[in-house]
Amino acid sequence: MEQVSTLERILRGIAISFVIIFFMFPILWIFLMSFQTNETILQVPPQLFFEPTIVNYEGLITGQLETAAGSLKIEFMGNLFNSLFLSTAAVIVGLILGVPAAYAFARLKFKGSEDIAFTLLSFRFAPPLLVLLPLTIYFQKIGLADTYVGLIWVYQLIVLPLILWIVRGYFEDIPADIEYAYRIAGHGFWSTFRKIALPLAGPGIAAAGLLAFIFSWNNFIFALVLASADKQPVTVGALAFITASGINYGQIAAGIVLSIAPTFALAMYAQRYLVEGLSLGAVKG
Amino acid sequence: MSLKLTNITKSFKDDLVLNQVSLSVEKGQTLVLFGPSGAGKTVLLRLIAGVIEPDDGTIEIDGLDMQGVEAEHRGIGMAFQNFALFPHMDAHANIASPLTARKQTKDAIEAGVQKLAKLLKIDHVLSHQPKELSNGQKQRTALARALAGEPATLLLDDPLRNVDAKLRFEMRLELPRLLKDQNATVIYVTQDYKEAMAFGDTIAVMSGHGIQQVGTPADIYLSPGNIETARLFGDPVINLLDVRPEKGAQGLQVQISQTPVSIAEGYSNAVDTDCILGIRPEALRFVDKDMPGAFPVIVEAETPLNEKTVNLMRTVNGRELMLSRPAGSPGPSEGEAYIAVNTSDAMLFEKTTGNRIEPLHAAAKSGDSA
C-alpha cells in the first residue's frame, strides 16, 4: 500500500476545505442572513455575531411583509404549496408516461426508436425560451395558460427526458434472460413488466423521480412566463421581495432557506440513488 | 413428431445466425444441440421458446404452428446457461412461478415446489434469495423452475456450464434419469461432447449457421459428416493428415511417414485426389517394427489425461500425431517407435469441401479384415 506523505495529506486537506468552503459558504451565509434584519445585513463591515431574529420567517409564514415603507402582503406559503404541488404532479405524470416509454425504448427495438428517444432528449438541448414564446400563444388560445394542468404539461419538457434516459439505462441493465424466463414460465407481457422489470429497475426509477423532482422544483423560467401570482412556485415568488422601497434581504434569505429545504433534505436522504442514477444515465446516454 | 423446425432462418441486423435450419424431435426423446459458441444454439432455443421470432421458417409443437403464439402459451420449460433466476424472489418463489402463472391453488403450488426441491436436494434453501445460493444450488433451482410447470417441451441451455466439476459430474449421472421421468421432449444445448454423448438420443451438430449432421451419438463419433464435426467430437482431437490415396501392391494405400499404409478398399473412388485422413487417437497403437502397416514415428511427449495416457508424436515428415491408450498400458514415452492403425478406423475427407467420403459399402466390409 502506498504511503501518503504528511505534506500531501495536509495539502489535500487544504484543497478539500477550500472546495467545501467555496460551495458551502453561500448556503451558510444565506442561512445566517435569514436570522438577521435588513439593517444588520447591510452593515459594513458585516457582523459575524448578531442578535438572531425570526421576524423574517414570521413574515413569510403569516404573509405580512413589514418594510420601511409599510406592510405588504405576500403569498410565500402559497408559492411553497404551488412548488410542491407542481413538482410532485409533474413527476407523477412524468413517471406514468416515461417509465413505460423507457421500457419500450430499452426492450422493443422498433423502427425509429433510437431517433424518437434522441428527439426526446434533445428537448434538453434547446434553451427553454425558444419554446416558451410559441407555447405561451398556444396556451392562451386553448386556455391552458395560467393553469396547473398547463404548467405540469410544460414541466414534462424537463421531467420526461430525464426519466426516460435514466430509467431506460436501468431497464437495459436487466438481463433479457430473466424476463424471458418469466415469460416462458407462463406469465404475460404486462405481468412480466410489473413483476420483473419494474421491481428490478426500482432504484433507477426512484433516482430518476427524485432528480426530476429537484429539477422541476428549481425551474424558474416556465413558471415566470406561464403562471400568474396564484400559481407561481417559490422560485418566481421570490421576486416579490424586490420591492419599490428596497430589497428585503432577510426575507429573501428566509425564503431561500425554506424553498431549498425540501430538495436539500431529499438529496441528502437519497444521495446514493442520485449519484448512481446520474452516473448510469451519463454512461448509457 | 413433437417438435418440428422447418427452414428456420434468423439474422440480427446483418449478422446471419441461423440459415435454413430444419430439425425434428420425437415425443419423449432428448435431442442434444452440440456446437462451438457462436453457432446459434442459444438463438435456436429462444426461437423455440418464442421469446424471439424467426425471420423465416416454421416451428411446430405437437403439430401446431407456433407462429404468433406467445412464449407463455407454448407449454415450454427452459433452464438458462446463466440460470436467469429472478433476483428479487427467493428460491421458493422462483420455482413456483410456472405454477402461479397457471393460477393453481396454494396447496398445489406448495406440493409441486416441495416435490421438486426434494428431488433436486434444495429443500433446505427454499427461503434463500438467489444471491445467497451457491452456483450448484442456483443451477438446481433453475432446473426445478424449468420442470415445475411439467412442460411437454423442455429446453436446457448448457445448464452444467457454470457449475463446478464435481457437481457437473453428479448431474451428468442424475440428469438423464430425471429427464426420462419427466417424459418431456428435451432439447439440450452443450459444448461438451461427453455431455452430448451421455444425454442425447440424437445429436445435432451445429456450426456455421446451420446443422452439420444429425445422428445417434455413435453415428456422430464413428462416422462424422465432415472434418468440423470430427474435430469437435473427441478428446484429444482427431488426427488429420493430408494424403493422396493410391493403388499399391496391397490394395488401396496412403503414405504416412513415407510408409504405405492400407486403407479400406471402399475408398477406391478417392484415388489420386487430395484428401485428409482422419484417425482417432485411440485407433492408433504401438506395434513391432515388422508388423504389416507399421510406420515409424518419433515420440515427443507423454501426458496423462484422466484414465488415458496421451502421446504426442511426429511422423518422419514432421507432422504431429496423437495417440491415446489406457493409462498404465505399456508404451514408449520418447524416442523412435512404430505405430499402426486398423484399416477400418481410418476415415477419409475431401480436402476441398471437408466432407467425409462415404466408403463404398461392399468394399468397406472386405477391407475390415485387412
Side-chain angles (χ1 to χ4, degrees), chain A residues 174-189 192 194-197 199-200, chain B residues 46 49 51-52 70-72 76 78 80 82 84-89 97-98 100-102 145:
Chain A
I174 303 173
D177 279 349
I178 292 180
E179 286 176 36
Y180 290 161
Y182 204 66
R183 288 297 295 279
I184 293 168
H187 302 268
F189 176 83
T192 307
R194 263 185 20 248
K195 296 281 175 54
I196 302 292
L200 292 181
Chain B
R46 287 179 182 181
V51 291
I52 51 176
E70 299 282 355
E72 61 266 31
I76 278 174
M78 181 160 174
F80 293 76
N82 53 14
L85 295 173
F86 313 129
H88 55 309
M89 302 180 188
S97 75
T100 52
R102 280 164 190 69
R145 184 178 68 186

mmCIF file of all heavy atoms in Angstrom, chain A residues 174-189 192 194-197 199-200, chain B residues 46 49 51-52 70-72 76 78 80 82 84-89 97-98 100-102 145:
data_model
loop_
_atom_site.group_PDB
_atom_site.id
_atom_site.type_symbol
_atom_site.label_atom_id
_atom_site.label_comp_id
_atom_site.label_asym_id
_atom_site.label_seq_id
_atom_site.Cartn_x
_atom_site.Cartn_y
_atom_site.Cartn_z
ATOM 1 N N ILE A 174 -31.118 -4.921 -16.989
ATOM 2 C CA ILE A 174 -31.729 -6.185 -16.554
ATOM 3 C C ILE A 174 -31.459 -7.215 -17.651
ATOM 4 O O ILE A 174 -31.794 -6.983 -18.799
ATOM 5 C CB ILE A 174 -33.252 -6.031 -16.382
ATOM 6 C CG1 ILE A 174 -33.571 -4.919 -15.395
ATOM 7 C CG2 ILE A 174 -33.874 -7.356 -15.943
ATOM 8 C CD1 ILE A 174 -35.050 -4.601 -15.310
ATOM 9 N N PRO A 175 -30.828 -8.345 -17.304
ATOM 10 C CA PRO A 175 -30.578 -9.348 -18.337
ATOM 11 C C PRO A 175 -31.894 -9.793 -18.984
ATOM 12 O O PRO A 175 -32.856 -10.097 -18.280
ATOM 13 C CB PRO A 175 -29.941 -10.504 -17.575
ATOM 14 C CG PRO A 175 -29.438 -9.907 -16.309
ATOM 15 C CD PRO A 175 -30.337 -8.757 -15.983
ATOM 16 N N ALA A 176 -31.911 -9.804 -20.297
ATOM 17 C CA ALA A 176 -33.143 -10.165 -21.005
ATOM 18 C C ALA A 176 -33.592 -11.571 -20.618
ATOM 19 O O ALA A 176 -34.794 -11.852 -20.569
ATOM 20 C CB ALA A 176 -32.923 -10.066 -22.506
ATOM 21 N N ASP A 177 -32.641 -12.436 -20.302
ATOM 22 C CA ASP A 177 -32.978 -13.820 -19.960
ATOM 23 C C ASP A 177 -33.925 -13.903 -18.768
ATOM 24 O O ASP A 177 -34.762 -14.794 -18.701
ATOM 25 C CB ASP A 177 -31.707 -14.622 -19.642
ATOM 26 C CG ASP A 177 -31.024 -15.092 -20.910
ATOM 27 O OD1 ASP A 177 -31.636 -14.972 -21.990
ATOM 28 O OD2 ASP A 177 -29.889 -15.579 -20.823
ATOM 29 N N ILE A 178 -33.771 -12.972 -17.821
ATOM 30 C CA ILE A 178 -34.634 -13.009 -16.637
ATOM 31 C C ILE A 178 -36.080 -12.756 -17.053
ATOM 32 O O ILE A 178 -37.000 -13.424 -16.597
ATOM 33 C CB ILE A 178 -34.153 -11.971 -15.598
ATOM 34 C CG1 ILE A 178 -32.803 -12.423 -15.053
ATOM 35 C CG2 ILE A 178 -35.166 -11.821 -14.472
ATOM 36 C CD1 ILE A 178 -32.221 -11.503 -14.021
ATOM 37 N N GLU A 179 -36.263 -11.807 -17.953
ATOM 38 C CA GLU A 179 -37.620 -11.544 -18.431
ATOM 39 C C GLU A 179 -38.129 -12.697 -19.295
ATOM 40 O O GLU A 179 -39.288 -13.104 -19.187
ATOM 41 C CB GLU A 179 -37.655 -10.239 -19.221
ATOM 42 C CG GLU A 179 -37.553 -9.041 -18.300
ATOM 43 C CD GLU A 179 -37.483 -7.732 -19.062
ATOM 44 O OE1 GLU A 179 -38.139 -7.605 -20.100
ATOM 45 O OE2 GLU A 179 -36.762 -6.838 -18.613
ATOM 46 N N TYR A 180 -37.229 -13.228 -20.131
ATOM 47 C CA TYR A 180 -37.616 -14.389 -20.950
ATOM 48 C C TYR A 180 -38.067 -15.530 -20.057
ATOM 49 O O TYR A 180 -39.067 -16.192 -20.325
ATOM 50 C CB TYR A 180 -36.437 -14.865 -21.806
ATOM 51 C CG TYR A 180 -36.044 -13.938 -22.925
ATOM 52 C CD1 TYR A 180 -34.779 -14.035 -23.511
ATOM 53 C CD2 TYR A 180 -36.929 -12.981 -23.415
ATOM 54 C CE1 TYR A 180 -34.409 -13.189 -24.545
ATOM 55 C CE2 TYR A 180 -36.561 -12.136 -24.439
ATOM 56 C CZ TYR A 180 -35.295 -12.242 -25.010
ATOM 57 O OH TYR A 180 -34.935 -11.418 -26.029
ATOM 58 N N ALA A 181 -37.291 -15.752 -18.981
ATOM 59 C CA ALA A 181 -37.607 -16.858 -18.088
ATOM 60 C C ALA A 181 -39.013 -16.700 -17.516
ATOM 61 O O ALA A 181 -39.764 -17.667 -17.402
ATOM 62 C CB ALA A 181 -36.578 -16.943 -16.963
ATOM 63 N N TYR A 182 -39.378 -15.471 -17.176
ATOM 64 C CA TYR A 182 -40.700 -15.234 -16.588
ATOM 65 C C TYR A 182 -41.794 -15.460 -17.635
ATOM 66 O O TYR A 182 -42.836 -16.042 -17.344
ATOM 67 C CB TYR A 182 -40.770 -13.820 -16.023
ATOM 68 C CG TYR A 182 -41.805 -13.638 -14.939
ATOM 69 C CD1 TYR A 182 -41.660 -14.289 -13.715
ATOM 70 C CD2 TYR A 182 -42.924 -12.841 -15.130
ATOM 71 C CE1 TYR A 182 -42.592 -14.130 -12.716
ATOM 72 C CE2 TYR A 182 -43.866 -12.668 -14.133
ATOM 73 C CZ TYR A 182 -43.695 -13.322 -12.923
ATOM 74 O OH TYR A 182 -44.628 -13.167 -11.931
ATOM 75 N N ARG A 183 -41.511 -15.009 -18.854
ATOM 76 C CA ARG A 183 -42.493 -15.238 -19.932
ATOM 77 C C ARG A 183 -42.693 -16.733 -20.151
ATOM 78 O O ARG A 183 -43.820 -17.221 -20.204
ATOM 79 C CB ARG A 183 -42.001 -14.615 -21.255
ATOM 80 C CG ARG A 183 -42.046 -13.123 -21.307
ATOM 81 C CD ARG A 183 -43.425 -12.559 -21.202
ATOM 82 N NE ARG A 183 -44.330 -12.881 -22.294
ATOM 83 C CZ ARG A 183 -44.360 -12.256 -23.457
ATOM 84 N NH1 ARG A 183 -43.532 -11.284 -23.712
ATOM 85 N NH2 ARG A 183 -45.242 -12.582 -24.393
ATOM 86 N N ILE A 184 -41.564 -17.443 -20.274
ATOM 87 C CA ILE A 184 -41.635 -18.875 -20.580
ATOM 88 C C ILE A 184 -42.339 -19.619 -19.457
ATOM 89 O O ILE A 184 -43.055 -20.590 -19.686
ATOM 90 C CB ILE A 184 -40.217 -19.429 -20.835
ATOM 91 C CG1 ILE A 184 -39.658 -18.812 -22.109
ATOM 92 C CG2 ILE A 184 -40.235 -20.950 -20.947
ATOM 93 C CD1 ILE A 184 -38.186 -19.050 -22.329
ATOM 94 N N ALA A 185 -42.167 -19.133 -18.214
ATOM 95 C CA ALA A 185 -42.847 -19.773 -17.084
ATOM 96 C C ALA A 185 -44.360 -19.617 -17.200
ATOM 97 O O ALA A 185 -45.096 -20.245 -16.444
ATOM 98 C CB ALA A 185 -42.354 -19.180 -15.771
ATOM 99 N N GLY A 186 -44.813 -18.778 -18.137
ATOM 100 C CA GLY A 186 -46.243 -18.720 -18.379
ATOM 101 C C GLY A 186 -46.902 -17.388 -18.063
ATOM 102 O O GLY A 186 -48.119 -17.287 -18.038
ATOM 103 N N HIS A 187 -46.083 -16.351 -17.817
ATOM 104 C CA HIS A 187 -46.666 -15.055 -17.484
ATOM 105 C C HIS A 187 -46.694 -14.164 -18.718
ATOM 106 O O HIS A 187 -45.805 -14.232 -19.557
ATOM 107 C CB HIS A 187 -45.843 -14.378 -16.385
ATOM 108 C CG HIS A 187 -45.739 -15.201 -15.131
ATOM 109 N ND1 HIS A 187 -46.614 -15.073 -14.090
ATOM 110 C CD2 HIS A 187 -44.882 -16.182 -14.787
ATOM 111 C CE1 HIS A 187 -46.288 -15.935 -13.143
ATOM 112 N NE2 HIS A 187 -45.240 -16.623 -13.535
ATOM 113 N N GLY A 188 -47.694 -13.307 -18.795
ATOM 114 C CA GLY A 188 -47.857 -12.449 -19.970
ATOM 115 C C GLY A 188 -46.909 -11.265 -19.963
ATOM 116 O O GLY A 188 -46.149 -11.058 -19.019
ATOM 117 N N PHE A 189 -46.997 -10.492 -21.022
ATOM 118 C CA PHE A 189 -46.111 -9.337 -21.195
ATOM 119 C C PHE A 189 -46.263 -8.329 -20.055
ATOM 120 O O PHE A 189 -45.286 -7.883 -19.464
ATOM 121 C CB PHE A 189 -46.432 -8.668 -22.537
ATOM 122 C CG PHE A 189 -45.660 -7.414 -22.789
ATOM 123 C CD1 PHE A 189 -44.372 -7.473 -23.292
ATOM 124 C CD2 PHE A 189 -46.214 -6.170 -22.510
ATOM 125 C CE1 PHE A 189 -43.655 -6.320 -23.526
ATOM 126 C CE2 PHE A 189 -45.497 -5.001 -22.736
ATOM 127 C CZ PHE A 189 -44.217 -5.088 -23.250
ATOM 128 N N THR A 192 -45.027 -9.554 -16.732
ATOM 129 C CA THR A 192 -43.561 -9.541 -16.696
ATOM 130 C C THR A 192 -43.044 -8.127 -16.442
ATOM 131 O O THR A 192 -42.118 -7.920 -15.662
ATOM 132 C CB THR A 192 -42.994 -10.070 -18.030
ATOM 133 O OG1 THR A 192 -43.578 -11.326 -18.299
ATOM 134 C CG2 THR A 192 -41.491 -10.201 -17.964
ATOM 135 N N ARG A 194 -44.614 -5.769 -14.846
ATOM 136 C CA ARG A 194 -44.935 -5.353 -13.474
ATOM 137 C C ARG A 194 -44.123 -6.108 -12.433
ATOM 138 O O ARG A 194 -43.637 -5.535 -11.471
ATOM 139 C CB ARG A 194 -46.428 -5.568 -13.220
ATOM 140 C CG ARG A 194 -47.240 -4.312 -13.403
ATOM 141 C CD ARG A 194 -48.709 -4.464 -13.041
ATOM 142 N NE ARG A 194 -49.025 -5.573 -12.200
ATOM 143 C CZ ARG A 194 -49.722 -6.642 -12.576
ATOM 144 N NH1 ARG A 194 -50.135 -6.721 -13.821
ATOM 145 N NH2 ARG A 194 -49.993 -7.597 -11.739
ATOM 146 N N LYS A 195 -43.977 -7.432 -12.637
ATOM 147 C CA LYS A 195 -43.383 -8.256 -11.582
ATOM 148 C C LYS A 195 -41.862 -8.392 -11.708
ATOM 149 O O LYS A 195 -41.189 -8.731 -10.748
ATOM 150 C CB LYS A 195 -44.016 -9.660 -11.596
ATOM 151 C CG LYS A 195 -45.494 -9.666 -11.268
ATOM 152 C CD LYS A 195 -45.681 -9.542 -9.766
ATOM 153 C CE LYS A 195 -47.130 -9.419 -9.351
ATOM 154 N NZ LYS A 195 -47.977 -10.487 -9.861
ATOM 155 N N ILE A 196 -41.327 -8.171 -12.892
ATOM 156 C CA ILE A 196 -39.879 -8.347 -13.089
ATOM 157 C C ILE A 196 -39.207 -7.003 -13.399
ATOM 158 O O ILE A 196 -38.357 -6.531 -12.654
ATOM 159 C CB ILE A 196 -39.590 -9.350 -14.229
ATOM 160 C CG1 ILE A 196 -40.230 -10.693 -13.921
ATOM 161 C CG2 ILE A 196 -38.095 -9.490 -14.458
ATOM 162 C CD1 ILE A 196 -39.623 -11.438 -12.753
ATOM 163 N N ALA A 197 -39.614 -6.388 -14.498
ATOM 164 C CA ALA A 197 -38.906 -5.189 -14.948
ATOM 165 C C ALA A 197 -39.018 -4.049 -13.937
ATOM 166 O O ALA A 197 -38.017 -3.443 -13.553
ATOM 167 C CB ALA A 197 -39.433 -4.760 -16.312
ATOM 168 N N PRO A 199 -39.807 -3.936 -10.553
ATOM 169 C CA PRO A 199 -39.055 -4.058 -9.284
ATOM 170 C C PRO A 199 -37.546 -4.007 -9.485
ATOM 171 O O PRO A 199 -36.838 -3.411 -8.682
ATOM 172 C CB PRO A 199 -39.463 -5.436 -8.754
ATOM 173 C CG PRO A 199 -40.682 -5.816 -9.486
ATOM 174 C CD PRO A 199 -40.694 -5.080 -10.772
ATOM 175 N N LEU A 200 -37.055 -4.603 -10.576
ATOM 176 C CA LEU A 200 -35.607 -4.638 -10.762
ATOM 177 C C LEU A 200 -35.052 -3.274 -11.157
ATOM 178 O O LEU A 200 -33.895 -2.962 -10.886
ATOM 179 C CB LEU A 200 -35.220 -5.703 -11.797
ATOM 180 C CG LEU A 200 -35.456 -7.141 -11.337
ATOM 181 C CD1 LEU A 200 -35.034 -8.130 -12.404
ATOM 182 C CD2 LEU A 200 -34.712 -7.424 -10.044
ATOM 183 N N ARG B 46 -34.160 -19.990 -28.134
ATOM 184 C CA ARG B 46 -35.048 -18.846 -27.893
ATOM 185 C C ARG B 46 -36.146 -18.764 -28.927
ATOM 186 O O ARG B 46 -37.256 -18.339 -28.634
ATOM 187 C CB ARG B 46 -34.235 -17.553 -27.900
ATOM 188 C CG ARG B 46 -33.409 -17.434 -26.665
ATOM 189 C CD ARG B 46 -32.580 -16.200 -26.655
ATOM 190 N NE ARG B 46 -31.785 -16.185 -25.444
ATOM 191 C CZ ARG B 46 -30.963 -15.222 -25.111
ATOM 192 N NH1 ARG B 46 -30.825 -14.189 -25.903
ATOM 193 N NH2 ARG B 46 -30.284 -15.284 -23.997
ATOM 194 N N ALA B 49 -38.617 -21.290 -27.859
ATOM 195 C CA ALA B 49 -39.327 -20.802 -26.672
ATOM 196 C C ALA B 49 -40.295 -19.681 -27.028
ATOM 197 O O ALA B 49 -41.258 -19.441 -26.313
ATOM 198 C CB ALA B 49 -38.331 -20.300 -25.629
ATOM 199 N N VAL B 51 -39.475 -16.384 -27.466
ATOM 200 C CA VAL B 51 -39.149 -15.045 -26.987
ATOM 201 C C VAL B 51 -38.560 -14.188 -28.101
ATOM 202 O O VAL B 51 -38.529 -12.973 -27.996
ATOM 203 C CB VAL B 51 -38.202 -15.060 -25.759
ATOM 204 C CG1 VAL B 51 -38.945 -15.598 -24.560
ATOM 205 C CG2 VAL B 51 -36.961 -15.860 -26.022
ATOM 206 N N ILE B 52 -38.098 -14.839 -29.166
ATOM 207 C CA ILE B 52 -37.803 -14.091 -30.386
ATOM 208 C C ILE B 52 -38.452 -14.825 -31.555
ATOM 209 O O ILE B 52 -38.746 -16.024 -31.463
ATOM 210 C CB ILE B 52 -36.284 -13.893 -30.637
ATOM 211 C CG1 ILE B 52 -35.539 -15.220 -30.540
ATOM 212 C CG2 ILE B 52 -35.686 -12.896 -29.679
ATOM 213 C CD1 ILE B 52 -34.054 -15.095 -30.870
ATOM 214 N N GLU B 70 -47.535 -16.656 -28.243
ATOM 215 C CA GLU B 70 -46.630 -16.046 -27.281
ATOM 216 C C GLU B 70 -45.915 -17.110 -26.443
ATOM 217 O O GLU B 70 -46.428 -18.215 -26.247
ATOM 218 C CB GLU B 70 -47.405 -15.121 -26.335
ATOM 219 C CG GLU B 70 -48.109 -13.973 -27.020
ATOM 220 C CD GLU B 70 -47.156 -12.830 -27.379
ATOM 221 O OE1 GLU B 70 -45.973 -12.901 -26.998
ATOM 222 O OE2 GLU B 70 -47.606 -11.889 -28.055
ATOM 223 N N ALA B 71 -44.756 -16.729 -25.926
ATOM 224 C CA ALA B 71 -43.928 -17.669 -25.155
ATOM 225 C C ALA B 71 -44.719 -18.334 -24.039
ATOM 226 O O ALA B 71 -44.547 -19.527 -23.761
ATOM 227 C CB ALA B 71 -42.720 -16.937 -24.581
ATOM 228 N N GLU B 72 -45.599 -17.561 -23.370
ATOM 229 C CA GLU B 72 -46.291 -18.104 -22.201
ATOM 230 C C GLU B 72 -47.332 -19.163 -22.564
ATOM 231 O O GLU B 72 -47.850 -19.853 -21.702
ATOM 232 C CB GLU B 72 -46.917 -16.978 -21.375
ATOM 233 C CG GLU B 72 -47.960 -16.143 -22.085
ATOM 234 C CD GLU B 72 -47.375 -14.894 -22.727
ATOM 235 O OE1 GLU B 72 -46.201 -14.944 -23.149
ATOM 236 O OE2 GLU B 72 -48.099 -13.885 -22.823
ATOM 237 N N ILE B 76 -43.697 -24.584 -22.494
ATOM 238 C CA ILE B 76 -42.272 -24.908 -22.526
ATOM 239 C C ILE B 76 -41.650 -24.614 -21.165
ATOM 240 O O ILE B 76 -42.079 -23.699 -20.455
ATOM 241 C CB ILE B 76 -41.591 -24.067 -23.631
ATOM 242 C CG1 ILE B 76 -41.812 -24.760 -24.977
ATOM 243 C CG2 ILE B 76 -40.110 -23.863 -23.351
ATOM 244 C CD1 ILE B 76 -41.330 -23.983 -26.140
ATOM 245 N N MET B 78 -37.777 -23.917 -19.524
ATOM 246 C CA MET B 78 -36.430 -23.636 -20.024
ATOM 247 C C MET B 78 -35.486 -23.326 -18.876
ATOM 248 O O MET B 78 -35.828 -22.601 -17.951
ATOM 249 C CB MET B 78 -36.483 -22.446 -20.989
ATOM 250 C CG MET B 78 -35.139 -22.096 -21.586
ATOM 251 S SD MET B 78 -35.334 -21.127 -23.105
ATOM 252 C CE MET B 78 -33.637 -20.730 -23.459
ATOM 253 N N PHE B 80 -31.704 -21.723 -18.205
ATOM 254 C CA PHE B 80 -30.741 -20.883 -18.919
ATOM 255 C C PHE B 80 -29.324 -21.168 -18.452
ATOM 256 O O PHE B 80 -29.095 -21.563 -17.313
ATOM 257 C CB PHE B 80 -31.051 -19.405 -18.685
ATOM 258 C CG PHE B 80 -32.336 -18.961 -19.304
ATOM 259 C CD1 PHE B 80 -33.538 -19.304 -18.722
ATOM 260 C CD2 PHE B 80 -32.350 -18.213 -20.464
ATOM 261 C CE1 PHE B 80 -34.734 -18.904 -19.285
ATOM 262 C CE2 PHE B 80 -33.541 -17.804 -21.032
ATOM 263 C CZ PHE B 80 -34.729 -18.152 -20.436
ATOM 264 N N ASN B 82 -27.048 -19.019 -17.792
ATOM 265 C CA ASN B 82 -26.681 -18.139 -16.676
ATOM 266 C C ASN B 82 -27.728 -18.201 -15.571
ATOM 267 O O ASN B 82 -27.818 -17.297 -14.756
ATOM 268 C CB ASN B 82 -26.505 -16.711 -17.171
ATOM 269 C CG ASN B 82 -27.715 -16.235 -17.941
ATOM 270 O OD1 ASN B 82 -28.768 -16.865 -17.891
ATOM 271 N ND2 ASN B 82 -27.583 -15.146 -18.648
ATOM 272 N N ALA B 84 -30.538 -17.257 -14.872
ATOM 273 C CA ALA B 84 -31.633 -16.297 -15.017
ATOM 274 C C ALA B 84 -32.694 -16.451 -13.940
ATOM 275 O O ALA B 84 -33.885 -16.413 -14.210
ATOM 276 C CB ALA B 84 -32.268 -16.398 -16.408
ATOM 277 N N LEU B 85 -32.259 -16.629 -12.700
ATOM 278 C CA LEU B 85 -33.217 -16.646 -11.591
ATOM 279 C C LEU B 85 -33.719 -15.219 -11.375
ATOM 280 O O LEU B 85 -33.019 -14.266 -11.685
ATOM 281 C CB LEU B 85 -32.544 -17.162 -10.317
ATOM 282 C CG LEU B 85 -32.083 -18.615 -10.372
ATOM 283 C CD1 LEU B 85 -31.295 -18.977 -9.132
ATOM 284 C CD2 LEU B 85 -33.272 -19.549 -10.535
ATOM 285 N N PHE B 86 -34.947 -15.117 -10.834
ATOM 286 C CA PHE B 86 -35.469 -13.781 -10.554
ATOM 287 C C PHE B 86 -34.800 -13.285 -9.282
ATOM 288 O O PHE B 86 -35.050 -13.822 -8.201
ATOM 289 C CB PHE B 86 -36.989 -13.835 -10.398
ATOM 290 C CG PHE B 86 -37.659 -14.625 -11.494
ATOM 291 C CD1 PHE B 86 -38.568 -15.623 -11.207
ATOM 292 C CD2 PHE B 86 -37.354 -14.378 -12.831
ATOM 293 C CE1 PHE B 86 -39.167 -16.358 -12.216
ATOM 294 C CE2 PHE B 86 -37.949 -15.107 -13.845
ATOM 295 C CZ PHE B 86 -38.854 -16.099 -13.533
ATOM 296 N N PRO B 87 -33.953 -12.267 -9.387
ATOM 297 C CA PRO B 87 -33.080 -11.922 -8.254
ATOM 298 C C PRO B 87 -33.835 -11.386 -7.041
ATOM 299 O O PRO B 87 -33.311 -11.411 -5.942
ATOM 300 C CB PRO B 87 -32.150 -10.857 -8.825
ATOM 301 C CG PRO B 87 -32.772 -10.393 -10.075
ATOM 302 C CD PRO B 87 -33.703 -11.440 -10.559
ATOM 303 N N HIS B 88 -35.062 -10.914 -7.243
ATOM 304 C CA HIS B 88 -35.794 -10.329 -6.122
ATOM 305 C C HIS B 88 -36.801 -11.299 -5.508
ATOM 306 O O HIS B 88 -37.624 -10.912 -4.701
ATOM 307 C CB HIS B 88 -36.494 -9.054 -6.570
ATOM 308 C CG HIS B 88 -37.400 -9.261 -7.758
ATOM 309 N ND1 HIS B 88 -36.992 -9.888 -8.907
ATOM 310 C CD2 HIS B 88 -38.689 -8.942 -7.960
ATOM 311 C CE1 HIS B 88 -37.990 -9.922 -9.769
ATOM 312 N NE2 HIS B 88 -39.027 -9.371 -9.214
ATOM 313 N N MET B 89 -36.733 -12.566 -5.941
ATOM 314 C CA MET B 89 -37.633 -13.555 -5.344
ATOM 315 C C MET B 89 -36.786 -14.677 -4.751
ATOM 316 O O MET B 89 -35.731 -15.000 -5.289
ATOM 317 C CB MET B 89 -38.535 -14.167 -6.421
ATOM 318 C CG MET B 89 -39.370 -13.174 -7.171
ATOM 319 S SD MET B 89 -40.367 -14.047 -8.393
ATOM 320 C CE MET B 89 -41.064 -12.683 -9.307
ATOM 321 N N SER B 97 -42.956 -20.073 -9.855
ATOM 322 C CA SER B 97 -43.505 -19.126 -10.833
ATOM 323 C C SER B 97 -44.285 -19.773 -11.988
ATOM 324 O O SER B 97 -45.301 -19.230 -12.392
ATOM 325 C CB SER B 97 -42.426 -18.180 -11.341
ATOM 326 O OG SER B 97 -41.581 -18.821 -12.242
ATOM 327 N N PRO B 98 -43.882 -20.943 -12.499
ATOM 328 C CA PRO B 98 -44.736 -21.538 -13.540
ATOM 329 C C PRO B 98 -46.090 -21.995 -12.986
ATOM 330 O O PRO B 98 -47.069 -22.061 -13.710
ATOM 331 C CB PRO B 98 -43.926 -22.754 -14.021
ATOM 332 C CG PRO B 98 -42.547 -22.506 -13.578
ATOM 333 C CD PRO B 98 -42.655 -21.718 -12.313
ATOM 334 N N THR B 100 -47.731 -20.489 -10.298
ATOM 335 C CA THR B 100 -48.582 -19.322 -10.045
ATOM 336 C C THR B 100 -49.151 -18.803 -11.357
ATOM 337 O O THR B 100 -50.266 -18.303 -11.405
ATOM 338 C CB THR B 100 -47.804 -18.191 -9.356
ATOM 339 O OG1 THR B 100 -46.618 -17.937 -10.106
ATOM 340 C CG2 THR B 100 -47.421 -18.557 -7.944
ATOM 341 N N ALA B 101 -48.383 -18.926 -12.427
ATOM 342 C CA ALA B 101 -48.879 -18.469 -13.720
ATOM 343 C C ALA B 101 -50.106 -19.263 -14.137
ATOM 344 O O ALA B 101 -50.978 -18.758 -14.835
ATOM 345 C CB ALA B 101 -47.791 -18.599 -14.782
ATOM 346 N N ARG B 102 -50.164 -20.524 -13.701
ATOM 347 C CA ARG B 102 -51.310 -21.362 -14.066
ATOM 348 C C ARG B 102 -52.439 -21.227 -13.053
ATOM 349 O O ARG B 102 -53.374 -21.998 -13.068
ATOM 350 C CB ARG B 102 -50.867 -22.821 -14.163
ATOM 351 C CG ARG B 102 -50.193 -23.123 -15.480
ATOM 352 C CD ARG B 102 -49.427 -24.431 -15.422
ATOM 353 N NE ARG B 102 -48.597 -24.617 -16.589
ATOM 354 C CZ ARG B 102 -47.509 -23.889 -16.856
ATOM 355 N NH1 ARG B 102 -47.131 -22.930 -16.032
ATOM 356 N NH2 ARG B 102 -46.811 -24.100 -17.949
ATOM 357 N N ARG B 145 -37.280 -24.875 -11.571
ATOM 358 C CA ARG B 145 -38.237 -23.926 -12.140
ATOM 359 C C ARG B 145 -38.659 -24.360 -13.548
ATOM 360 O O ARG B 145 -39.825 -24.270 -13.917
ATOM 361 C CB ARG B 145 -37.608 -22.533 -12.193
ATOM 362 C CG ARG B 145 -38.559 -21.461 -12.667
ATOM 363 C CD ARG B 145 -37.895 -20.106 -12.659
ATOM 364 N NE ARG B 145 -36.854 -20.018 -13.667
ATOM 365 C CZ ARG B 145 -36.038 -18.978 -13.802
ATOM 366 N NH1 ARG B 145 -36.120 -17.961 -12.967
ATOM 367 N NH2 ARG B 145 -35.119 -18.961 -14.739
#
